Amino acid sequence: MSEPRKILVTSALPYANGSIHLGHMLEYIQTDMWTRFQKHRGNQCIYVCADDAHGSAIMLRAEKEGITPEQLIANVQAEHSADFAEFLVDFDNFHSTHAEENRELSSQIYLKLRDAGHISTRSVTQYFDPEKKMFLADRFIKGTCPKCGTEDQYGDNCEKCGATYAPTDLKDPKSAISGATPVLRDSQHFFFKLPDFQQMLQTWTRSGTLQDAVANKLAEWLDSGLQEWDISRDAPYFGFEIPGEPGKYFYVWLDAPIGYMASFKNLCDRTPELDFDAFWAKDSTAEVYHFIGKDIVNFHALFWPAMLEGAGFRKPTGINVHGYLTVNGQKMSKSRGTFIKARTYLDHLSPEYLRYYYAAKLGRGVDDLDLNLEDFVQKVNSDLVGKVVNIASRCAGFIHKGNAGVLVAGNAAPELTDAFLAAAPSIADAYENRDFARAMREIMALADRANAWIADKAPWSLAKQEGKQDEVQAICALGINLFRQLVIFLKPVLPLLAADAEAFLNVAPLTWNDHQTLLSNHQLNEFKPLMTRIDATKVQAMIDASKEDLAASQTDTGGPSGNGELAKDPLSPEIDFDAFAAVDLRVALIVKAEAVEGADKLLRLTLDIGDEQRNVFSGIKSAYPDPAKLEGRLTMMIANLKPRKMRFGISEGMVMAAGPGGEEIYLLSPDSGAKPGQRIK
């Protein structure tokens, strides 16, 4: 027997600036299943992760909430940890990038790169917010696209025409943070000389470390020539200060992947039998695997291995890349209720339903995975309840009633047990190669064979016949053994089902090699239902709970609406209280107000409602010819009105106003002391 492998596994670090949703969970569930499989096989497999806790976005959100960044990331880490635990994601360590281990390792790697000549410095001209006294990242600058003239576009690309450009190319730039007009300032920046590693990366990316599709995509970058990578940011910034460079901070993507090492280092410091160098030293024989989404491939497969190479550490054994999650064939949507947070899912459904469905859909490639909710219900009910659990529920009663819960010795169908045994290497190969969909297909094919055999033998009919009790016991004993085999194969995906099955089977925790044996003359415990069918009403309840934009009313007759039309009638149709109660009325801060080119009545309002900003078109231009005067004013908006697609863009709500029209339109405001985002009862 070969020696157990030593494997370190990571998932991409969740950003400590928001909740985990089902798109995130695709990655963590995938990684957890692979890690559990390795442990199931007897390998030493360590799974570490951490919250990605640095950057301007976290600093600004903490400021907005009136707490320190440290408080914010601690709160988010507690939320993330609870969600992961309930989804049965079994980290050996879940840490934070804002940790002393990461500060030390980031400084160490930077200094090694600097001393080896892989760091350069030069002056960079950037936009600076004169009100917030900070340099602005591209995503914090908005303006008019220099190519097509579309307004309210971010500082690096236009969502309408797809053009990419430098923030300095924007027309009429504004700070998305304060609304101030930014000014250009020079600052010294630090760069990692990625081109120094061009040849190494060309070889390494074609070494089998990556899926072919990923390697092909990276070849486009490599063939066009690598550029130096800006790794510094200016104060104020929440992160680690660069050694010896006051007021200069490591860019979040510099210390984020080092967070993998830091989380493992934190675990090693608490676990005497673990040796950090055995996994990360240049000559390490251990395996290191990263599981990531396709949107961050450049950071993990170009910047990261080059940093490790330059600093004298080993490179990853493999980087496993997956696609995005869609729901019902479309991008996740808050208005449709398909942007589902992990917590919302857990409030309604078992985590193992989703774990199995993801497993049944996940292949080796980088294709997107679709969570079709109708198929989700059907597949879980059919496969897990109708096939796997059904075997145990069919057989257990006969064994308890006819033989006091003891499995008799013998093998009533050697050809069937041989088929299960013969299938194990192929199922293991599918798990190893992350082709979970193939593994699930092969396991369910075995479940079909077992059910067909039991149906053919019909122990429920034999039990009614004289002299057939021994045959009934032999059939049901093998049925329970076949169920046990299926549980062994499914344990990496369904750890809760496995634990409940182990309790029923009265056995120690099952390992992969247990599939080679059968239980004989063995006492079972009382059988209890192991899994129930998904109730489709719970899925609908989950969708309803996820909707941010409820259709409160199908008629816009109460004032200036999202399409700029004014009510003509003095009275609106009557509505009942439930319809009124569904309206989510909130205090909104007008961050920006501007006329809409080509529209006679419309103003475009950028509204801050506490935890996000909304874009709303309102037909109040005639009353506010100088829209800039509205900026900084509080108003009221309906926050859960269904978004409306207009010729000028998407309107994401309705501001409240009254008046007969023309110049006599009065934007409603709350009393003094109100704050953006507060609900109006």
Side-chain angles (χ1 to χ4, degrees), residues 447-525:
D448 285 337
R449 291 189 62 174
N451 277 295
W453 179 78
I454 294 168
D456 180 63
K457 295 298 181 182
W460 43 88
S461 296
L462 294 175
K464 300 174 184 177
Q465 302 176 30
E466 286 291 329
K468 296 291 187 179
Q469 294 309 309
D470 288 348
E471 189 175 350
V472 169
Q473 291 303 313
I475 293 166
C476 291
L478 182 58
I480 294 297
N481 268 300
L482 296 175
F483 166 74
R484 172 177 169 270
Q485 306 288 66
L486 294 170
V487 169
I488 291 169
F489 294 149
L490 286 167
K491 188 172 181 178
V493 178
L494 304 171
L496 278 185
L497 174 65
D500 290 344
E502 288 159 355
F504 156 62
L505 294 169
N506 191 24
V507 296
L510 295 163
T511 68
W512 185 265
N513 287 337
D514 288 332
H515 79 274
Q516 298 170 350
T517 61
L518 299 177
L519 297 177
S520 180
N521 293 318
H522 180 78
Q523 178 69 55
L524 300 177
N525 286 323

Side-chain angles (χ1 to χ4, degrees), residues 186-506:
D186 292 339
S187 174
Q188 179 173 270
H189 276 233
F190 294 74
F191 292 82
F192 174 48
K193 296 164 73 173
L194 189 61
D196 291 355
F197 301 91
Q198 172 94 22
Q199 188 58 53
M200 181 276 290
L201 290 169
Q202 284 179 320
T203 302
W204 184 78
T205 55
R206 292 294 188 185
S207 64
T209 304
L210 307 166
Q211 295 118 303
D212 288 345
V214 177
N216 292 339
K217 183 64 179 176
L218 291 172
E220 298 176 12
W221 288 55
L222 291 161
D223 291 347
S224 62
L226 298 173
Q227 304 297 313
E228 292 189 352
W229 177 38
D230 190 340
I231 60 167
S232 68
R233 294 295 185 267
D234 290 278
Y237 192 80
F238 184 59
F240 294 141
E241 203 166 45
I242 298 175
E245 303 295 341
K248 303 292 183 180
Y249 289 79
F250 288 127
Y251 172 44
V252 59
W253 265 109
L254 183 287
D255 63 65
I258 299 173
Y260 301 140
M261 302 173 77
S263 183
F264 183 62
K265 180 71 164 58
N266 175 263
L267 181 63
C268 290
D269 290 344
R270 295 182 285 108
T271 313
E273 60 269 25
L274 284 179
D275 179 13
F276 179 84
D277 290 338
F279 285 81
W280 285 105
K282 191 82 169 178
D283 59 355
S284 169
T285 57
E287 303 169 51
V288 175
Y289 296 94
H290 301 307
F291 284 74
I292 63 167
K294 61 186 179 182
D295 55 325
I296 52 175
V297 164
N298 57 333
F299 292 106
H300 283 81
L302 293 177
F303 304 161
W304 177 229
M307 286 167 53
L308 291 168
E309 177 78 8
F313 290 101
R314 58 86 48 80
K315 296 183 289 295
T317 309
I319 298 178
N320 306 318
V321 182
H322 62 82
Y324 300 130
L325 178 74
T326 58
V327 180
N328 293 337
Q330 296 179 292
K331 184 178 178 181
M332 293 195 303
S333 163
K334 292 180 180 179
S335 62
R336 290 191 295 270
T338 58
F339 189 94
I340 303 166
K341 293 181 180 179
R343 179 54 46 189
T344 307
Y345 176 96
L346 291 165
D347 286 343
H348 295 87
L349 296 166
S350 163
E352 294 206 309
Y353 297 153
L354 190 68
R355 288 177 66 97
Y356 176 72
Y357 192 76
Y358 280 171
K361 292 281 188 174
L362 272 166
R364 282 178 48 80
V366 295
D367 296 334
D368 294 346
L369 185 152
D370 184 50
L371 171 57
N372 181 290
L373 293 171
E374 184 177 336
D375 181 55
F376 165 68
V377 173
Q378 188 278 330
K379 189 159 190 62
V380 169
N381 289 346
S382 172
D383 288 2
L384 297 185
V385 182
K387 296 180 182 180
V388 177
V389 172
N390 184 54
I391 296 172
S393 61
R394 272 179 159 184
C395 298
F398 292 110
I399 295 168
H400 279 287
K401 185 176 181 181
N403 202 40
V406 176
L407 295 180
V408 299
N411 185 346
E415 72 286 353
L416 196 52
T417 55
D418 286 348
F420 272 58
L421 190 63
S426 178
I427 294 169
D429 178 74
Y431 269 121
E432 178 66 41
N433 289 291
R434 308 177 316 285
D435 195 348
F436 298 103
R438 177 165 71 86
M440 297 307 104
R441 286 195 303 272
E442 294 183 13
I443 293 168
M444 290 305 146
L446 294 175
D448 285 337
R449 291 189 62 174
N451 277 295
W453 179 78
I454 294 168
D456 180 63
K457 295 298 181 182
W460 43 88
S461 296
L462 294 175
K464 300 174 184 177
Q465 302 176 30
E466 286 291 329
K468 296 291 187 179
Q469 294 309 309
D470 288 348
E471 189 175 350
V472 169
Q473 291 303 313
I475 293 166
C476 291
L478 182 58
I480 294 297
N481 268 300
L482 296 175
F483 166 74
R484 172 177 169 270
Q485 306 288 66
L486 294 170
V487 169
I488 291 169
F489 294 149
L490 286 167
K491 188 172 181 178
V493 178
L494 304 171
L496 278 185
L497 174 65
D500 290 344
E502 288 159 355
F504 156 62
L505 294 169
N506 191 24

Side-chain angles (χ1 to χ4, degrees), residues 78-94:
E79 177 189 330
H80 287 181
S81 296
D83 289 350
F84 287 136
E86 290 190 47
F87 262 108
L88 313 173
V89 177
D90 190 22
F91 297 118
D92 291 284
N93 196 41
F94 188 75

